Amino acid sequence: MSSITVLGFDYGTKSIGIAIGQSLTGTGNPIGSIKAVDGIPKWEEIGMLIEEWQPDIVVVGLPLNMDGTEQEMTQRAKKFANRIKGRFGVKIATQDERLTTADAKARLFELGGYKALTKGQVDAMSAVLIIESYFENLYD
């Protein structure tokens, strides 16, 4: 099976974390984060990322309640995913991200202590975890 490239987004109303991943290794790497105003990014920034990384699929984290039910942010993340698909014509998937922020903080803390826990880094690491959980679900 050939490797697929995945661009992952941790959607938020003020900041959107971004990571890139490869199915060959099943891992992701943080790229950073972009600012959003009430959940709306500068679409040209998203376009530049898609142009640069040429992903086979874009995965957007879905924030669900702990019991698996949807919340307002779930709908907003789905809308964000649909807009990426509509604007850039890329394949889209969504991935349950219920525990990614806590996991991202734990992983960053292990790597660099409190100084590693900036908002942008946490969002980017959350995007890495979204990609990695997407890969895990592909092979389950």
Side-chain angles (χ1 to χ4, degrees):
M1 188 170 94
S2 63
S3 181
I4 61 166
T5 301
V6 177
L7 190 61
F9 290 98
D10 176 40
Y11 175 79
T13 53
K14 293 189 180 98
S15 176
I16 299 168
I18 307 151
I20 191 75
Q22 285 290 333
S23 63
L24 197 65
T25 57
T27 58
N29 290 301
I31 294 174
S33 62
I34 57 173
K35 298 239 176 295
V37 178
D38 195 28
I40 300 165
K42 288 192 173 107
W43 288 108
E44 55 278 10
E45 290 180 7
I46 305 271
M48 288 185 329
L49 287 162
I50 289 169
E51 182 69 29
E52 180 181 353
W53 294 100
Q54 300 284 312
D56 297 295
I57 189 165
V58 170
V59 178
V60 176
L62 272 193
L64 298 166
N65 293 318
M66 288 315 283
D67 64 2
T69 57
E70 295 194 354
Q71 51 174 293
E72 185 202 347
M73 279 300 285
T74 315
Q75 294 306 317
R76 293 184 75 165
K78 283 182 176 176
K79 199 168 170 184
F80 172 73
N82 288 333
R83 287 204 173 131
I84 291 175
K85 183 179 182 181
R87 279 174 187 259
F88 306 108
V90 291
K91 194 173 163 196
I92 291 285
T94 54
Q95 179 64 44
D96 177 357
E97 62 153 65
R98 273 177 280 188
L99 297 171
T100 55
T101 301
D103 289 350
K105 286 180 178 167
R107 192 181 289 191
L108 283 167
F109 186 77
E110 284 169 22
L111 296 172
Y114 284 111
K115 67 182 182 300
L117 297 178
T118 68
K119 176 81 176 108
Q121 287 173 304
V122 170
D123 291 341
M125 187 59 78
S126 292
V128 167
L129 296 170
I130 288 164
I131 288 174
E132 291 178 357
S133 59
Y134 171 76
F135 287 143
E136 283 165 22
N137 288 347
L138 277 185
Y139 305 117
D140 278 351

